Amino acid sequence: MRIDRIELRHTKMILVTPFVTSMGTEYDEQHIMVRVDAEGVTGWGECVAEETPFYSYETVPTAWHILNDFLIPAVLGKNISCVDEAIASYAKVRGHMMAKAGLEAALYDAFAKSKGISLSKMLGGTQDKINVGVSLGISDTVPDLLHVMEKYMKEGYQRIKIKIAPDRDLQFIEALRTEYPEMLLQVDANSAYTLDHLPVFKKMDEYHLSLIEQPLGYDDIFDHAKLQREIKTDLCLDESIHSLGDTRAAIEMKSCRIINIKPGRVGGYTESIKIHDYCASMNIPVWHGGMLESGIGRAGNVALASLPNFTLPCDLSPNRKYYTEDIVETLFELNPDGTITVPTGPGIGVEVNLKALEKYTVRKCEHKVKK
Ligand code: OSB
Ligand code: MG
């Protein structure tokens, strides 16, 4: 397939509710939408680099630079027979996983559409519905959290994840457990703790949490192994995992017993599948994390999460949990059994709403092959 044109759009979408984590508060989400046109087919991808370098070192401007100056020139005008060939053409770019994943996603969508198959099928998906949960930011008070919880429990979510930070942890966990003794409950610290907090983690052990996500350093694998040895609750790594190599190190060192897969963090679907397959071979369950994606990235995530070892509920809520107006025509809904249905149409299976996309575009640029 000849890559004829690539367009980037820096978007800014307002969140339904501000998202509070140990890293700060997000009121809106800025990402980059990638459009690839190839022989009459259009593919879409979302680069999940954010405005700030707080979750990852990548930001919208760094991804914009890497995409425009290195990744796009490597594939534009080329006749590419598969996505792996495109990946090989920019493999010498080190890091910048989110920039790579945004372009890779658009290429995957274009290839799946050119073959007339769904992205889920192309990636090797086997599930037609995905178990999903909801990820809640840190609340000001316990009554505030219980109020928000009631709404989401009524909607039928299978599990709840709450963000935590030192001194904003046990009181919320304790209150939720008292109110909902059986609910699947997990917590995400986004690297806000150190090994000195061991007594706090020992207390968390009493609330049968499904997992504790990334409690220690954002690039740590070693200390997590020390912590995992000391507590019963399964640890899960998010920030520390950027590749299959990181995953192997974490599993072999017993730093965690569960892996959160986000294609943006690991450079795309190809690397995600390698991690997924390795974890399956090691009996390590995986689940799909989220980056507050628009409907474009969300649809790709749902396709990836349809692979067989995504057995734990994913951070993939319906569009309206995040945005009042999304940039796609087709919105995900929560089924009564707390699942989301995997699209079966070609590629990501959702149509982009070009008018809405234009409305939320802050800047755009295009690269075109001269005819
Ligand atoms: O740590 O999983 C995280 C959002 C932005 C950055 C990091 C994280 C998150 C989320 C959002 O938890 C989950 C979602 O998209 O529903
Ligand atoms: Mg996380």
Side-chain angles (χ1 to χ4, degrees):
M1 213 165 50
R2 198 176 91 132
I3 311 301
D4 300 316
R5 180 177 176 276
I6 300 182
E7 177 186 285
L8 299 181
R9 284 168 180 264
H10 171 180
T11 54
K12 177 172 173 168
M13 294 168 68
I14 312 300
L15 290 164
V16 171
T17 43
F19 195 61
V20 185
T21 71
S22 63
M23 305 173 288
T25 303
E26 292 185 71
Y27 298 90
D28 51 57
E29 196 62 18
Q30 301 190 32
H31 284 168
I32 300 170
M33 303 304 149
V34 184
R35 173 181 171 154
V36 168
D37 288 291
E39 298 178 10
V41 176
T42 299
W44 291 95
E46 178 163 348
C47 165
V48 298
E50 299 187 295
E51 183 187 8
T52 55
F54 302 157
Y55 168 78
S56 159
Y57 68 86
E58 291 186 81
T59 61
V60 171
T62 71
W64 191 265
H65 159 55
I66 296 296
L67 278 159
N68 276 312
D69 298 333
F70 297 101
L71 306 182
I72 292 172
V75 299
L76 189 74
K78 301 259 170 70
N79 207 335
I80 287 167
S81 62
C82 63
V83 177
D84 284 352
E85 204 178 308
I87 295 171
S89 75
Y90 55 72
K92 66 180 180 186
V93 176
R94 294 181 179 175
H96 299 281
M97 300 316 202
M98 292 174 172
K100 289 173 181 169
L103 177 59
E104 198 226 50
L107 291 167
Y108 260 110
D109 185 33
F111 272 99
K113 282 171 176 160
S114 78
K115 290 180 166 51
I117 59 171
S118 70
L119 181 60
S120 164
K121 183 153 188 208
M122 183 160 171
L123 298 178
T126 54
Q127 315 188 64
D128 51 12
K129 288 165 161 193
I130 307 301
N131 294 327
V132 301
V134 68
S135 172
L136 301 181
I138 302 175
S139 299
D140 282 342
T141 66
V142 166
D144 284 353
L145 174 61
L146 290 175
H147 182 73
V148 177
M149 271 298 297
E150 214 187 315
K151 169 172 143 28
Y152 287 111
M153 291 309 280
K154 274 197 196 127
E155 287 186 30
Y157 283 99
Q158 294 203 4
R159 69 98 169 115
I160 302 294
K161 151 171 153 182
I162 59 164
K163 295 284 185 177
I164 54 167
D167 299 324
R168 298 157 92 192
D169 41 31
L170 293 167
Q171 67 273 46
F172 294 111
I173 297 170
E174 153 93 34
L176 285 183
R177 259 298 163 252
T178 310
E179 197 75 19
Y180 304 97
E182 303 299 333
M183 173 183 68
L184 292 181
L185 174 64
Q186 63 193 60
V187 297
D188 187 0
N190 290 111
S191 299
Y193 297 79
T194 69
L195 282 177
D196 293 339
H197 291 100
L198 182 61
V200 181
F201 294 111
K202 293 253 189 210
K203 286 212 186 86
M204 279 185 209
D205 252 350
E206 292 166 24
Y207 297 97
H208 59 98
L209 300 173
S210 307
L211 59 88
I212 301 172
E213 187 179 343
Q214 195 76 32
L216 309 178
Y218 66 87
D219 56 357
D220 171 78
I221 291 180
F222 186 69
D223 280 353
H224 280 95
K226 288 191 173 180
L227 177 58
Q228 183 67 96
R229 279 200 289 277
E230 298 293 326
I231 61 171
K232 289 182 294 192
T233 310
D234 292 340
L235 292 185
C236 168
L237 289 180
D238 173 355
E239 280 91 328
S240 298
I241 304 295
H242 299 284
S243 62
L244 172 62
D246 290 341
T247 311
R248 286 180 43 233
I251 301 307
E252 289 192 23
M253 286 176 67
K254 300 190 178 0
S255 307
C256 65
R257 303 187 192 120
I258 295 171
I259 295 284
N260 165 327
I261 296 182
K262 290 180 184 173
R265 203 190 60 230
V266 304
Y269 301 133
T270 294
E271 193 70 12
S272 298
I273 294 169
K274 289 181 189 165
I275 295 171
H276 165 278
D277 293 352
Y278 167 78
C279 288
S281 77
M282 300 298 281
N283 281 320
I284 298 289
V286 304
W287 57 284
H288 202 302
M291 290 296 293
L292 311 174
E293 286 87 349
S294 78
I296 293 177
R298 188 162 307 284
N301 290 355
V302 168
L304 179 64
S306 70
L307 270 69
N309 194 37
F310 282 89
T311 49
L312 302 176
C314 302
D315 276 354
L316 291 173
S317 310
N319 314 62
R320 68 182 140 76
K321 191 251 164 187
Y322 307 88
Y323 305 105
T324 336
E325 184 186 35
D326 208 326
I327 55 178
V328 292
E329 307 276 5
T330 341
L331 303 177
F332 290 106
E333 292 297 337
L334 195 64
N335 298 320
D337 62 352
T339 62
I340 278 183
T341 304
V342 180
T344 52
I348 57 173
V350 303
E351 290 298 318
V352 174
N353 179 336
L354 294 172
K355 232 173 119 185
L357 176 62
E358 182 66 25
K359 182 168 154 191
Y360 296 106
T361 297
V362 178
R363 60 175 163 154
K364 57 185 170 187
C365 70
E366 70 168 343
H367 298 255
K368 233 164 141 172
V369 181
K370 287 170 206 86
K371 289 266 150 79

